[in-house]
mmCIF file with all atom_site columns, all heavy atoms in Angstrom:
data_model
loop_
_atom_site.group_PDB
_atom_site.id
_atom_site.type_symbol
_atom_site.label_atom_id
_atom_site.label_alt_id
_atom_site.label_comp_id
_atom_site.label_asym_id
_atom_site.label_entity_id
_atom_site.label_seq_id
_atom_site.pdbx_PDB_ins_code
_atom_site.Cartn_x
_atom_site.Cartn_y
_atom_site.Cartn_z
_atom_site.occupancy
_atom_site.B_iso_or_equiv
_atom_site.pdbx_formal_charge
_atom_site.auth_seq_id
_atom_site.auth_comp_id
_atom_site.auth_asym_id
_atom_site.auth_atom_id
_atom_site.pdbx_PDB_model_num
ATOM 1   N N   . GLU Q 1 1  ? 0.827  -1.209 0.000   1.00 95.00 ? 728 GLU Q N   1
ATOM 2   C CA  . GLU Q 1 1  ? 0.000  0.000  0.000   1.00 95.00 ? 728 GLU Q CA  1
ATOM 3   C C   . GLU Q 1 1  ? 0.864  1.264  0.000   1.00 95.00 ? 728 GLU Q C   1
ATOM 4   O O   . GLU Q 1 1  ? 0.511  2.263  -0.633  1.00 95.00 ? 728 GLU Q O   1
ATOM 5   C CB  . GLU Q 1 1  ? -0.936 0.000  1.202   1.00 95.00 ? 728 GLU Q CB  1
ATOM 6   C CG  . GLU Q 1 1  ? -2.040 -1.047 1.121   1.00 95.00 ? 728 GLU Q CG  1
ATOM 7   C CD  . GLU Q 1 1  ? -3.041 -0.905 2.246   1.00 95.00 ? 728 GLU Q CD  1
ATOM 8   O OE1 . GLU Q 1 1  ? -2.930 0.075  3.027   1.00 95.00 ? 728 GLU Q OE1 1
ATOM 9   O OE2 . GLU Q 1 1  ? -3.927 -1.760 2.358   1.00 95.00 ? 728 GLU Q OE2 1
ATOM 10  N N   . THR Q 1 2  ? 1.977  1.217  0.706   1.00 93.00 ? 729 THR Q N   1
ATOM 11  C CA  . THR Q 1 2  ? 2.891  2.365  0.712   1.00 93.00 ? 729 THR Q CA  1
ATOM 12  C C   . THR Q 1 2  ? 3.434  2.614  -0.688  1.00 93.00 ? 729 THR Q C   1
ATOM 13  O O   . THR Q 1 2  ? 3.478  3.758  -1.156  1.00 93.00 ? 729 THR Q O   1
ATOM 14  C CB  . THR Q 1 2  ? 4.046  2.118  1.688   1.00 93.00 ? 729 THR Q CB  1
ATOM 15  O OG1 . THR Q 1 2  ? 3.528  1.925  3.000   1.00 93.00 ? 729 THR Q OG1 1
ATOM 16  C CG2 . THR Q 1 2  ? 5.011  3.297  1.697   1.00 93.00 ? 729 THR Q CG2 1
ATOM 17  N N   . ASP Q 1 3  ? 3.846  1.547  -1.369  1.00 95.00 ? 730 ASP Q N   1
ATOM 18  C CA  . ASP Q 1 3  ? 4.341  1.692  -2.735  1.00 95.00 ? 730 ASP Q CA  1
ATOM 19  C C   . ASP Q 1 3  ? 3.260  2.244  -3.659  1.00 95.00 ? 730 ASP Q C   1
ATOM 20  O O   . ASP Q 1 3  ? 3.535  3.093  -4.520  1.00 95.00 ? 730 ASP Q O   1
ATOM 21  C CB  . ASP Q 1 3  ? 4.826  0.340  -3.262  1.00 95.00 ? 730 ASP Q CB  1
ATOM 22  C CG  . ASP Q 1 3  ? 6.163  -0.077 -2.667  1.00 95.00 ? 730 ASP Q CG  1
ATOM 23  O OD1 . ASP Q 1 3  ? 6.858  0.793  -2.123  1.00 95.00 ? 730 ASP Q OD1 1
ATOM 24  O OD2 . ASP Q 1 3  ? 6.509  -1.268 -2.754  1.00 95.00 ? 730 ASP Q OD2 1
ATOM 25  N N   . ALA Q 1 4  ? 2.035  1.763  -3.483  1.00 95.00 ? 731 ALA Q N   1
ATOM 26  C CA  . ALA Q 1 4  ? 0.935  2.248  -4.318  1.00 95.00 ? 731 ALA Q CA  1
ATOM 27  C C   . ALA Q 1 4  ? 0.700  3.743  -4.095  1.00 95.00 ? 731 ALA Q C   1
ATOM 28  O O   . ALA Q 1 4  ? 0.474  4.499  -5.050  1.00 95.00 ? 731 ALA Q O   1
ATOM 29  C CB  . ALA Q 1 4  ? -0.336 1.458  -4.015  1.00 95.00 ? 731 ALA Q CB  1
ATOM 30  N N   . PHE Q 1 5  ? 0.786  4.185  -2.843  1.00 94.00 ? 732 PHE Q N   1
ATOM 31  C CA  . PHE Q 1 5  ? 0.609  5.607  -2.538  1.00 94.00 ? 732 PHE Q CA  1
ATOM 32  C C   . PHE Q 1 5  ? 1.710  6.429  -3.186  1.00 94.00 ? 732 PHE Q C   1
ATOM 33  O O   . PHE Q 1 5  ? 1.441  7.470  -3.817  1.00 94.00 ? 732 PHE Q O   1
ATOM 34  C CB  . PHE Q 1 5  ? 0.619  5.812  -1.023  1.00 94.00 ? 732 PHE Q CB  1
ATOM 35  C CG  . PHE Q 1 5  ? 0.668  7.263  -0.613  1.00 94.00 ? 732 PHE Q CG  1
ATOM 36  C CD1 . PHE Q 1 5  ? -0.477 8.035  -0.644  1.00 94.00 ? 732 PHE Q CD1 1
ATOM 37  C CD2 . PHE Q 1 5  ? 1.860  7.847  -0.217  1.00 94.00 ? 732 PHE Q CD2 1
ATOM 38  C CE1 . PHE Q 1 5  ? -0.447 9.381  -0.287  1.00 94.00 ? 732 PHE Q CE1 1
ATOM 39  C CE2 . PHE Q 1 5  ? 1.908  9.185  0.141   1.00 94.00 ? 732 PHE Q CE2 1
ATOM 40  C CZ  . PHE Q 1 5  ? 0.754  9.955  0.105   1.00 94.00 ? 732 PHE Q CZ  1
ATOM 41  N N   . ILE Q 1 6  ? 2.951  5.992  -3.047  1.00 93.00 ? 733 ILE Q N   1
ATOM 42  C CA  . ILE Q 1 6  ? 4.089  6.740  -3.595  1.00 93.00 ? 733 ILE Q CA  1
ATOM 43  C C   . ILE Q 1 6  ? 3.982  6.842  -5.110  1.00 93.00 ? 733 ILE Q C   1
ATOM 44  O O   . ILE Q 1 6  ? 4.233  7.899  -5.703  1.00 93.00 ? 733 ILE Q O   1
ATOM 45  C CB  . ILE Q 1 6  ? 5.407  6.070  -3.177  1.00 93.00 ? 733 ILE Q CB  1
ATOM 46  C CG1 . ILE Q 1 6  ? 5.638  6.278  -1.675  1.00 93.00 ? 733 ILE Q CG1 1
ATOM 47  C CG2 . ILE Q 1 6  ? 6.585  6.611  -3.972  1.00 93.00 ? 733 ILE Q CG2 1
ATOM 48  C CD1 . ILE Q 1 6  ? 6.790  5.491  -1.113  1.00 93.00 ? 733 ILE Q CD1 1
ATOM 49  N N   . ARG Q 1 7  ? 3.579  5.775  -5.752  1.00 94.00 ? 734 ARG Q N   1
ATOM 50  C CA  . ARG Q 1 7  ? 3.465  5.807  -7.210  1.00 94.00 ? 734 ARG Q CA  1
ATOM 51  C C   . ARG Q 1 7  ? 2.261  6.628  -7.660  1.00 94.00 ? 734 ARG Q C   1
ATOM 52  O O   . ARG Q 1 7  ? 2.286  7.237  -8.731  1.00 94.00 ? 734 ARG Q O   1
ATOM 53  C CB  . ARG Q 1 7  ? 3.376  4.381  -7.752  1.00 94.00 ? 734 ARG Q CB  1
ATOM 54  C CG  . ARG Q 1 7  ? 4.655  3.585  -7.533  1.00 94.00 ? 734 ARG Q CG  1
ATOM 55  C CD  . ARG Q 1 7  ? 4.655  2.294  -8.301  1.00 94.00 ? 734 ARG Q CD  1
ATOM 56  N NE  . ARG Q 1 7  ? 5.852  1.509  -8.030  1.00 94.00 ? 734 ARG Q NE  1
ATOM 57  C CZ  . ARG Q 1 7  ? 6.290  0.525  -8.811  1.00 94.00 ? 734 ARG Q CZ  1
ATOM 58  N NH1 . ARG Q 1 7  ? 5.613  0.205  -9.895  1.00 94.00 ? 734 ARG Q NH1 1
ATOM 59  N NH2 . ARG Q 1 7  ? 7.381  -0.131 -8.494  1.00 94.00 ? 734 ARG Q NH2 1
ATOM 60  N N   . THR Q 1 8  ? 1.225  6.641  -6.842  1.00 95.00 ? 735 THR Q N   1
ATOM 61  C CA  . THR Q 1 8  ? 0.063  7.464  -7.170  1.00 95.00 ? 735 THR Q CA  1
ATOM 62  C C   . THR Q 1 8  ? 0.415  8.944  -7.062  1.00 95.00 ? 735 THR Q C   1
ATOM 63  O O   . THR Q 1 8  ? 0.080  9.750  -7.940  1.00 95.00 ? 735 THR Q O   1
ATOM 64  C CB  . THR Q 1 8  ? -1.117 7.136  -6.229  1.00 95.00 ? 735 THR Q CB  1
ATOM 65  O OG1 . THR Q 1 8  ? -1.467 5.757  -6.377  1.00 95.00 ? 735 THR Q OG1 1
ATOM 66  C CG2 . THR Q 1 8  ? -2.323 7.988  -6.566  1.00 95.00 ? 735 THR Q CG2 1
ATOM 67  N N   . VAL Q 1 9  ? 1.093  9.317  -5.976  1.00 90.00 ? 736 VAL Q N   1
ATOM 68  C CA  . VAL Q 1 9  ? 1.545  10.698 -5.819  1.00 90.00 ? 736 VAL Q CA  1
ATOM 69  C C   . VAL Q 1 9  ? 2.542  11.051 -6.919  1.00 90.00 ? 736 VAL Q C   1
ATOM 70  O O   . VAL Q 1 9  ? 2.544  12.164 -7.444  1.00 90.00 ? 736 VAL Q O   1
ATOM 71  C CB  . VAL Q 1 9  ? 2.173  10.901 -4.425  1.00 90.00 ? 736 VAL Q CB  1
ATOM 72  C CG1 . VAL Q 1 9  ? 2.803  12.280 -4.310  1.00 90.00 ? 736 VAL Q CG1 1
ATOM 73  C CG2 . VAL Q 1 9  ? 1.109  10.720 -3.343  1.00 90.00 ? 736 VAL Q CG2 1
ATOM 74  N N   . GLY Q 1 10 ? 3.390  10.102 -7.275  1.00 92.00 ? 737 GLY Q N   1
ATOM 75  C CA  . GLY Q 1 10 ? 4.281  10.299 -8.407  1.00 92.00 ? 737 GLY Q CA  1
ATOM 76  C C   . GLY Q 1 10 ? 5.682  10.742 -8.066  1.00 92.00 ? 737 GLY Q C   1
ATOM 77  O O   . GLY Q 1 10 ? 6.309  11.463 -8.851  1.00 92.00 ? 737 GLY Q O   1
ATOM 78  N N   . PHE Q 1 11 ? 6.210  10.316 -6.911  1.00 92.00 ? 738 PHE Q N   1
ATOM 79  C CA  . PHE Q 1 11 ? 7.588  10.675 -6.576  1.00 92.00 ? 738 PHE Q CA  1
ATOM 80  C C   . PHE Q 1 11 ? 8.538  10.234 -7.686  1.00 92.00 ? 738 PHE Q C   1
ATOM 81  O O   . PHE Q 1 11 ? 9.483  10.947 -8.031  1.00 92.00 ? 738 PHE Q O   1
ATOM 82  C CB  . PHE Q 1 11 ? 8.013  10.015 -5.260  1.00 92.00 ? 738 PHE Q CB  1
ATOM 83  C CG  . PHE Q 1 11 ? 7.294  10.540 -4.051  1.00 92.00 ? 738 PHE Q CG  1
ATOM 84  C CD1 . PHE Q 1 11 ? 7.300  9.829  -2.855  1.00 92.00 ? 738 PHE Q CD1 1
ATOM 85  C CD2 . PHE Q 1 11 ? 6.617  11.745 -4.084  1.00 92.00 ? 738 PHE Q CD2 1
ATOM 86  C CE1 . PHE Q 1 11 ? 6.644  10.309 -1.732  1.00 92.00 ? 738 PHE Q CE1 1
ATOM 87  C CE2 . PHE Q 1 11 ? 5.960  12.233 -2.978  1.00 92.00 ? 738 PHE Q CE2 1
ATOM 88  C CZ  . PHE Q 1 11 ? 5.969  11.509 -1.787  1.00 92.00 ? 738 PHE Q CZ  1
ATOM 89  N N   . ASN Q 1 12 ? 8.315  9.042  -8.217  1.00 92.00 ? 739 ASN Q N   1
ATOM 90  C CA  . ASN Q 1 12 ? 9.199  8.523  -9.259  1.00 92.00 ? 739 ASN Q CA  1
ATOM 91  C C   . ASN Q 1 12 ? 9.109  9.362  -10.539 1.00 92.00 ? 739 ASN Q C   1
ATOM 92  O O   . ASN Q 1 12 ? 10.117 9.637  -11.188 1.00 92.00 ? 739 ASN Q O   1
ATOM 93  C CB  . ASN Q 1 12 ? 8.872  7.055  -9.543  1.00 92.00 ? 739 ASN Q CB  1
ATOM 94  C CG  . ASN Q 1 12 ? 7.389  6.817  -9.815  1.00 92.00 ? 739 ASN Q CG  1
ATOM 95  O OD1 . ASN Q 1 12 ? 6.531  7.576  -9.371  1.00 92.00 ? 739 ASN Q OD1 1
ATOM 96  N ND2 . ASN Q 1 12 ? 7.076  5.751  -10.535 1.00 92.00 ? 739 ASN Q ND2 1
ATOM 97  N N   . ARG Q 1 13 ? 7.898  9.808  -10.894 1.00 94.00 ? 740 ARG Q N   1
ATOM 98  C CA  . ARG Q 1 13 ? 7.729  10.627 -12.108 1.00 94.00 ? 740 ARG Q CA  1
ATOM 99  C C   . ARG Q 1 13 ? 8.322  12.026 -11.918 1.00 94.00 ? 740 ARG Q C   1
ATOM 100 O O   . ARG Q 1 13 ? 8.929  12.580 -12.841 1.00 94.00 ? 740 ARG Q O   1
ATOM 101 C CB  . ARG Q 1 13 ? 6.244  10.705 -12.480 1.00 94.00 ? 740 ARG Q CB  1
ATOM 102 C CG  . ARG Q 1 13 ? 5.645  9.361  -12.851 1.00 94.00 ? 740 ARG Q CG  1
ATOM 103 C CD  . ARG Q 1 13 ? 4.229  9.513  -13.375 1.00 94.00 ? 740 ARG Q CD  1
ATOM 104 N NE  . ARG Q 1 13 ? 3.311  10.039 -12.372 1.00 94.00 ? 740 ARG Q NE  1
ATOM 105 C CZ  . ARG Q 1 13 ? 2.699  9.306  -11.455 1.00 94.00 ? 740 ARG Q CZ  1
ATOM 106 N NH1 . ARG Q 1 13 ? 2.926  8.002  -11.383 1.00 94.00 ? 740 ARG Q NH1 1
ATOM 107 N NH2 . ARG Q 1 13 ? 1.844  9.856  -10.599 1.00 94.00 ? 740 ARG Q NH2 1
ATOM 108 N N   . ILE Q 1 14 ? 8.126  12.579 -10.726 1.00 93.00 ? 741 ILE Q N   1
ATOM 109 C CA  . ILE Q 1 14 ? 8.704  13.900 -10.425 1.00 93.00 ? 741 ILE Q CA  1
ATOM 110 C C   . ILE Q 1 14 ? 10.229 13.834 -10.504 1.00 93.00 ? 741 ILE Q C   1
ATOM 111 O O   . ILE Q 1 14 ? 10.886 14.728 -11.056 1.00 93.00 ? 741 ILE Q O   1
ATOM 112 C CB  . ILE Q 1 14 ? 8.258  14.373 -9.041  1.00 93.00 ? 741 ILE Q CB  1
ATOM 113 C CG1 . ILE Q 1 14 ? 6.745  14.628 -9.022  1.00 93.00 ? 741 ILE Q CG1 1
ATOM 114 C CG2 . ILE Q 1 14 ? 9.012  15.636 -8.628  1.00 93.00 ? 741 ILE Q CG2 1
ATOM 115 C CD1 . ILE Q 1 14 ? 6.184  14.882 -7.646  1.00 93.00 ? 741 ILE Q CD1 1
ATOM 116 N N   . SER Q 1 15 ? 10.796 12.765 -9.966  1.00 94.00 ? 742 SER Q N   1
ATOM 117 C CA  . SER Q 1 15 ? 12.252 12.600 -9.986  1.00 94.00 ? 742 SER Q CA  1
ATOM 118 C C   . SER Q 1 15 ? 12.765 12.479 -11.412 1.00 94.00 ? 742 SER Q C   1
ATOM 119 O O   . SER Q 1 15 ? 13.787 13.085 -11.772 1.00 94.00 ? 742 SER Q O   1
ATOM 120 C CB  . SER Q 1 15 ? 12.651 11.359 -9.181  1.00 94.00 ? 742 SER Q CB  1
ATOM 121 O OG  . SER Q 1 15 ? 12.191 11.452 -7.850  1.00 94.00 ? 742 SER Q OG  1
ATOM 122 N N   . ALA Q 1 16 ? 12.057 11.711 -12.235 1.00 94.00 ? 743 ALA Q N   1
ATOM 123 C CA  . ALA Q 1 16 ? 12.472 11.548 -13.630 1.00 94.00 ? 743 ALA Q CA  1
ATOM 124 C C   . ALA Q 1 16 ? 12.391 12.877 -14.379 1.00 94.00 ? 743 ALA Q C   1
ATOM 125 O O   . ALA Q 1 16 ? 13.285 13.212 -15.176 1.00 94.00 ? 743 ALA Q O   1
ATOM 126 C CB  . ALA Q 1 16 ? 11.607 10.493 -14.311 1.00 94.00 ? 743 ALA Q CB  1
ATOM 127 N N   . ALA Q 1 17 ? 11.345 13.655 -14.121 1.00 94.00 ? 744 ALA Q N   1
ATOM 128 C CA  . ALA Q 1 17 ? 11.211 14.961 -14.771 1.00 94.00 ? 744 ALA Q CA  1
ATOM 129 C C   . ALA Q 1 17 ? 12.306 15.914 -14.321 1.00 94.00 ? 744 ALA Q C   1
ATOM 130 O O   . ALA Q 1 17 ? 12.831 16.704 -15.121 1.00 94.00 ? 744 ALA Q O   1
ATOM 131 C CB  . ALA Q 1 17 ? 9.824  15.543 -14.466 1.00 94.00 ? 744 ALA Q CB  1
ATOM 132 N N   . THR Q 1 18 ? 12.660 15.847 -13.042 1.00 94.00 ? 745 THR Q N   1
ATOM 133 C CA  . THR Q 1 18 ? 13.741 16.702 -12.525 1.00 94.00 ? 745 THR Q CA  1
ATOM 134 C C   . THR Q 1 18 ? 15.061 16.338 -13.179 1.00 94.00 ? 745 THR Q C   1
ATOM 135 O O   . THR Q 1 18 ? 15.859 17.216 -13.533 1.00 94.00 ? 745 THR Q O   1
ATOM 136 C CB  . THR Q 1 18 ? 13.848 16.557 -11.000 1.00 94.00 ? 745 THR Q CB  1
ATOM 137 O OG1 . THR Q 1 18 ? 12.593 16.897 -10.398 1.00 94.00 ? 745 THR Q OG1 1
ATOM 138 C CG2 . THR Q 1 18 ? 14.930 17.462 -10.441 1.00 94.00 ? 745 THR Q CG2 1
ATOM 139 N N   . LEU Q 1 19 ? 15.303 15.048 -13.342 1.00 94.00 ? 746 LEU Q N   1
ATOM 140 C CA  . LEU Q 1 19 ? 16.529 14.605 -13.997 1.00 94.00 ? 746 LEU Q CA  1
ATOM 141 C C   . LEU Q 1 19 ? 16.581 15.119 -15.431 1.00 94.00 ? 746 LEU Q C   1
ATOM 142 O O   . LEU Q 1 19 ? 17.641 15.586 -15.898 1.00 94.00 ? 746 LEU Q O   1
ATOM 143 C CB  . LEU Q 1 19 ? 16.617 13.079 -13.971 1.00 94.00 ? 746 LEU Q CB  1
ATOM 144 C CG  . LEU Q 1 19 ? 17.837 12.465 -14.653 1.00 94.00 ? 746 LEU Q CG  1
ATOM 145 C CD1 . LEU Q 1 19 ? 19.126 12.969 -14.015 1.00 94.00 ? 746 LEU Q CD1 1
ATOM 146 C CD2 . LEU Q 1 19 ? 17.774 10.939 -14.600 1.00 94.00 ? 746 LEU Q CD2 1
ATOM 147 N N   . GLU Q 1 20 ? 15.478 15.062 -16.145 1.00 94.00 ? 747 GLU Q N   1
ATOM 148 C CA  . GLU Q 1 20 ? 15.434 15.588 -17.511 1.00 94.00 ? 747 GLU Q CA  1
ATOM 149 C C   . GLU Q 1 20 ? 15.741 17.084 -17.535 1.00 94.00 ? 747 GLU Q C   1
ATOM 150 O O   . GLU Q 1 20 ? 16.424 17.583 -18.441 1.00 94.00 ? 747 GLU Q O   1
ATOM 151 C CB  . GLU Q 1 20 ? 14.062 15.315 -18.123 1.00 94.00 ? 747 GLU Q CB  1
ATOM 152 C CG  . GLU Q 1 20 ? 13.796 13.849 -18.430 1.00 94.00 ? 747 GLU Q CG  1
ATOM 153 C CD  . GLU Q 1 20 ? 12.439 13.640 -19.075 1.00 94.00 ? 747 GLU Q CD  1
ATOM 154 O OE1 . GLU Q 1 20 ? 11.758 14.651 -19.366 1.00 94.00 ? 747 GLU Q OE1 1
ATOM 155 O OE2 . GLU Q 1 20 ? 12.063 12.476 -19.293 1.00 94.00 ? 747 GLU Q OE2 1
ATOM 156 N N   . MET Q 1 21 ? 15.228 17.795 -16.531 1.00 93.00 ? 748 MET Q N   1
ATOM 157 C CA  . MET Q 1 21 ? 15.487 19.233 -16.455 1.00 93.00 ? 748 MET Q CA  1
ATOM 158 C C   . MET Q 1 21 ? 16.972 19.494 -16.219 1.00 93.00 ? 748 MET Q C   1
ATOM 159 O O   . MET Q 1 21 ? 17.569 20.391 -16.836 1.00 93.00 ? 748 MET Q O   1
ATOM 160 C CB  . MET Q 1 21 ? 14.647 19.842 -15.329 1.00 93.00 ? 748 MET Q CB  1
ATOM 161 C CG  . MET Q 1 21 ? 14.776 21.348 -15.186 1.00 93.00 ? 748 MET Q CG  1
ATOM 162 S SD  . MET Q 1 21 ? 16.049 21.838 -13.996 1.00 93.00 ? 748 MET Q SD  1
ATOM 163 C CE  . MET Q 1 21 ? 15.305 21.279 -12.468 1.00 93.00 ? 748 MET Q CE  1
ATOM 164 N N   . TYR Q 1 22 ? 17.594 18.710 -15.339 1.00 93.00 ? 749 TYR Q N   1
ATOM 165 C CA  . TYR Q 1 22 ? 19.034 18.857 -15.112 1.00 93.00 ? 749 TYR Q CA  1
ATOM 166 C C   . TYR Q 1 22 ? 19.812 18.589 -16.398 1.00 93.00 ? 749 TYR Q C   1
ATOM 167 O O   . TYR Q 1 22 ? 20.782 19.286 -16.705 1.00 93.00 ? 749 TYR Q O   1
ATOM 168 C CB  . TYR Q 1 22 ? 19.495 17.893 -14.026 1.00 93.00 ? 749 TYR Q CB  1
ATOM 169 C CG  . TYR Q 1 22 ? 19.240 18.357 -12.609 1.00 93.00 ? 749 TYR Q CG  1
ATOM 170 C CD1 . TYR Q 1 22 ? 18.596 19.559 -12.355 1.00 93.00 ? 749 TYR Q CD1 1
ATOM 171 C CD2 . TYR Q 1 22 ? 19.643 17.582 -11.520 1.00 93.00 ? 749 TYR Q CD2 1
ATOM 172 C CE1 . TYR Q 1 22 ? 18.355 19.980 -11.052 1.00 93.00 ? 749 TYR Q CE1 1
ATOM 173 C CE2 . TYR Q 1 22 ? 19.410 17.998 -10.212 1.00 93.00 ? 749 TYR Q CE2 1
ATOM 174 C CZ  . TYR Q 1 22 ? 18.760 19.198 -9.993  1.00 93.00 ? 749 TYR Q CZ  1
ATOM 175 O OH  . TYR Q 1 22 ? 18.531 19.615 -8.706  1.00 93.00 ? 749 TYR Q OH  1
ATOM 176 N N   . GLU Q 1 23 ? 19.403 17.570 -17.128 1.00 92.00 ? 750 GLU Q N   1
ATOM 177 C CA  . GLU Q 1 23 ? 20.115 17.207 -18.360 1.00 92.00 ? 750 GLU Q CA  1
ATOM 178 C C   . GLU Q 1 23 ? 20.084 18.346 -19.378 1.00 92.00 ? 750 GLU Q C   1
ATOM 179 O O   . GLU Q 1 23 ? 21.071 18.559 -20.097 1.00 92.00 ? 750 GLU Q O   1
ATOM 180 C CB  . GLU Q 1 23 ? 19.492 15.941 -18.956 1.00 92.00 ? 750 GLU Q CB  1
ATOM 181 C CG  . GLU Q 1 23 ? 19.752 14.691 -18.130 1.00 92.00 ? 750 GLU Q CG  1
ATOM 182 C CD  . GLU Q 1 23 ? 18.962 13.494 -18.622 1.00 92.00 ? 750 GLU Q CD  1
ATOM 183 O OE1 . GLU Q 1 23 ? 17.988 13.669 -19.386 1.00 92.00 ? 750 GLU Q OE1 1
ATOM 184 O OE2 . GLU Q 1 23 ? 19.308 12.359 -18.230 1.00 92.00 ? 750 GLU Q OE2 1
ATOM 185 N N   . SER Q 1 24 ? 18.982 19.068 -19.437 1.00 92.00 ? 751 SER Q N   1
ATOM 186 C CA  . SER Q 1 24 ? 18.863 20.122 -20.439 1.00 92.00 ? 751 SER Q CA  1
ATOM 187 C C   . SER Q 1 24 ? 19.274 21.506 -19.939 1.00 92.00 ? 751 SER Q C   1
ATOM 188 O O   . SER Q 1 24 ? 19.794 22.324 -20.702 1.00 92.00 ? 751 SER Q O   1
ATOM 189 C CB  . SER Q 1 24 ? 17.421 20.191 -20.952 1.00 92.00 ? 751 SER Q CB  1
ATOM 190 O OG  . SER Q 1 24 ? 16.528 20.494 -19.892 1.00 92.00 ? 751 SER Q OG  1
ATOM 191 N N   . GLU Q 1 25 ? 19.047 21.769 -18.634 1.00 92.00 ? 752 GLU Q N   1
ATOM 192 C CA  . GLU Q 1 25 ? 19.253 23.117 -18.112 1.00 92.00 ? 752 GLU Q CA  1
ATOM 193 C C   . GLU Q 1 25 ? 20.475 23.262 -17.210 1.00 92.00 ? 752 GLU Q C   1
ATOM 194 O O   . GLU Q 1 25 ? 21.056 24.334 -17.120 1.00 92.00 ? 752 GLU Q O   1
ATOM 195 C CB  . GLU Q 1 25 ? 18.010 23.564 -17.330 1.00 92.00 ? 752 GLU Q CB  1
ATOM 196 C CG  . GLU Q 1 25 ? 16.728 23.543 -18.138 1.00 92.00 ? 752 GLU Q CG  1
ATOM 197 C CD  . GLU Q 1 25 ? 16.718 24.563 -19.259 1.00 92.00 ? 752 GLU Q CD  1
ATOM 198 O OE1 . GLU Q 1 25 ? 17.433 25.580 -19.128 1.00 92.00 ? 752 GLU Q OE1 1
ATOM 199 O OE2 . GLU Q 1 25 ? 16.002 24.351 -20.251 1.00 92.00 ? 752 GLU Q OE2 1
ATOM 200 N N   . TYR Q 1 26 ? 20.845 22.210 -16.501 1.00 91.00 ? 753 TYR Q N   1
ATOM 201 C CA  . TYR Q 1 26 ? 21.923 22.306 -15.512 1.00 91.00 ? 753 TYR Q CA  1
ATOM 202 C C   . TYR Q 1 26 ? 22.914 21.147 -15.670 1.00 91.00 ? 753 TYR Q C   1
ATOM 203 O O   . TYR Q 1 26 ? 23.036 20.294 -14.793 1.00 91.00 ? 753 TYR Q O   1
ATOM 204 C CB  . TYR Q 1 26 ? 21.349 22.312 -14.096 1.00 91.00 ? 753 TYR Q CB  1
ATOM 205 C CG  . TYR Q 1 26 ? 20.415 23.462 -13.825 1.00 91.00 ? 753 TYR Q CG  1
ATOM 206 C CD1 . TYR Q 1 26 ? 19.035 23.266 -13.810 1.00 91.00 ? 753 TYR Q CD1 1
ATOM 207 C CD2 . TYR Q 1 26 ? 20.899 24.748 -13.588 1.00 91.00 ? 753 TYR Q CD2 1
ATOM 208 C CE1 . TYR Q 1 26 ? 18.170 24.324 -13.577 1.00 91.00 ? 753 TYR Q CE1 1
ATOM 209 C CE2 . TYR Q 1 26 ? 20.045 25.811 -13.359 1.00 91.00 ? 753 TYR Q CE2 1
ATOM 210 C CZ  . TYR Q 1 26 ? 18.674 25.590 -13.351 1.00 91.00 ? 753 TYR Q CZ  1
ATOM 211 O OH  . TYR Q 1 26 ? 17.831 26.631 -13.125 1.00 91.00 ? 753 TYR Q OH  1
ATOM 212 N N   . PRO Q 1 27 ? 23.626 21.100 -16.786 1.00 92.00 ? 754 PRO Q N   1
ATOM 213 C CA  . PRO Q 1 27 ? 24.582 20.009 -16.991 1.00 92.00 ? 754 PRO Q CA  1
ATOM 214 C C   . PRO Q 1 27 ? 25.671 19.971 -15.927 1.00 92.00 ? 754 PRO Q C   1
ATOM 215 O O   . PRO Q 1 27 ? 26.201 18.904 -15.614 1.00 92.00 ? 754 PRO Q O   1
ATOM 216 C CB  . PRO Q 1 27 ? 25.157 20.295 -18.384 1.00 92.00 ? 754 PRO Q CB  1
ATOM 217 C CG  . PRO Q 1 27 ? 24.887 21.752 -18.621 1.00 92.00 ? 754 PRO Q CG  1
ATOM 218 C CD  . PRO Q 1 27 ? 23.606 22.046 -17.914 1.00 92.00 ? 754 PRO Q CD  1
#
């Protein structure tokens, strides 16, 4: 249930989007 909550909130998606932003904006 904890994993389901975290994936619903989207910590993993937010982290992936942040990484993409670093790749393009903050090398």
Side-chain angles (χ1 to χ4, degrees):
E728 290 187 5
T729 300
D730 285 343
F732 171 79
I733 289 171
R734 294 191 183 199
T735 300
V736 173
F738 292 163
N739 51 335
R740 296 187 296 276
I741 294 171
S742 302
T745 302
L746 179 59
E747 290 182 5
M748 183 267 292
Y749 279 2
E750 290 172 343
S751 61
E752 302 294 334
Y753 300 103

